[in-house]
C-alpha cells in the first residue's frame, strides 16, 4: 500500500510540475520561466527526498499520455479527400485553411519529420487541417 501511495503521489506531483513547466511558467516568464522551473523542480526533489527513479517513471507515463493524445487528435482529422469534399471552395491556387483562409500550410509528421503518418497545419491560426500517409 505504501508503494502505491508513493507512486500515486509522485505521479500527481510530476503531473503538476509538467503543467507548470509546459504552460504556466513559460507563458508568464518566457525563457527565464523555463530556468525557474528547473530551479523549483530540483529544490523540491531535494526538499522532499524524491527518488530519481520516480522522475523517470513519471516522465515515461506523461510522455506516453501525450503521444496517445496526439494520435487520437490525428485519427479524428479528415483525410485529404474528405477535407476537399467537405470544403469545395477551399482549393484556390493550392489548398487554403478553412478557418482563416491562409495559404501558409505546413506538412508535419505525427511522430517526427521522417514519419509516414502526416498532417497539415495552418501556420497562421495553428489549426490542424487534414491527415494523409506517405507511401
Amino acid at each position: 500500500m505504501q508503494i502505491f501511495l508513493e507512486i500515486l503521489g509522485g505521479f500527481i506531483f510530476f503531473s503538476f510540475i509538467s503543467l507548470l513547466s509546459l504552460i504556466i511558467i513559460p507563458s508568464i516568464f518566457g525563457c527565464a520561466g523555463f530556468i525557474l522551473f528547473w530551479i523549483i523542480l530540483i529544490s523540491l526533489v531535494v526538499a522532499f527526498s524524491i527518488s530519481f527513479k520516480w522522475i523517470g517513471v513519471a516522465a515515461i507515463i506523461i510522455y506516453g499520455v501525450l503521444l496517445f493524445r496526439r494520435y487520437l487528435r490525428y485519427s479524428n482529422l479528415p483525410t485529404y479527400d474528405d477535407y476537399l469534399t467537405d470544403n469545395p471552395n477551399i482549393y484556390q491556387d493550392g489548398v487554403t485553411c478553412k478557418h482563416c483562409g491562409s495559404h501558409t500550410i505546413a506538412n508535419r509528421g505525427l511522430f517526427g519529420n521522417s514519419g509516414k503518418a502526416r498532417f497539415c497545419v495552418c501556420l497562421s491560426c495553428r489549426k490542424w487541417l487534414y491527415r494523409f500517409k506517405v507511401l
Side-chain angles (χ1 to χ4, degrees), residues 41-92:
L41 177 65
I42 291 170
S43 64
L44 288 173
V45 165
V46 170
F48 293 113
S49 300
I50 298 173
S51 174
F52 282 102
K53 68 180 176 184
W54 296 119
I55 293 174
V57 168
I60 290 170
I61 290 172
I62 291 170
Y63 185 70
V65 168
L66 291 176
L67 282 179
F68 184 69
R69 283 187 59 220
R70 187 175 178 105
Y71 179 75
L72 285 179
R73 185 176 180 188
Y74 171 81
S75 64
N76 289 332
L77 286 174
T79 61
Y80 177 71
D81 294 332
D82 293 338
Y83 182 75
L84 291 179
T85 303
D86 293 343
N87 308 295
N89 298 327
I90 223 68
Y91 194 80
Q92 305 161 355

Side-chain angles (χ1 to χ4, degrees), residues 72-130:
L72 285 179
R73 185 176 180 188
Y74 171 81
S75 64
N76 289 332
L77 286 174
T79 61
Y80 177 71
D81 294 332
D82 293 338
Y83 182 75
L84 291 179
T85 303
D86 293 343
N87 308 295
N89 298 327
I90 223 68
Y91 194 80
Q92 305 161 355
D93 299 326
V95 179
T96 59
C97 176
K98 69 178 180 181
H99 303 285
C100 68
S102 174
H103 288 281
T104 55
I105 294 175
N107 176 357
R108 303 276 167 88
L110 182 62
F111 299 117
N113 290 333
S114 62
K116 293 187 179 199
R118 311 205 51 87
F119 63 94
C120 283
V121 62
C122 175
L123 296 177
S124 297
C125 64
R126 303 283 183 205
K127 303 251 186 205
W128 291 20
L129 302 176
Y130 56 88

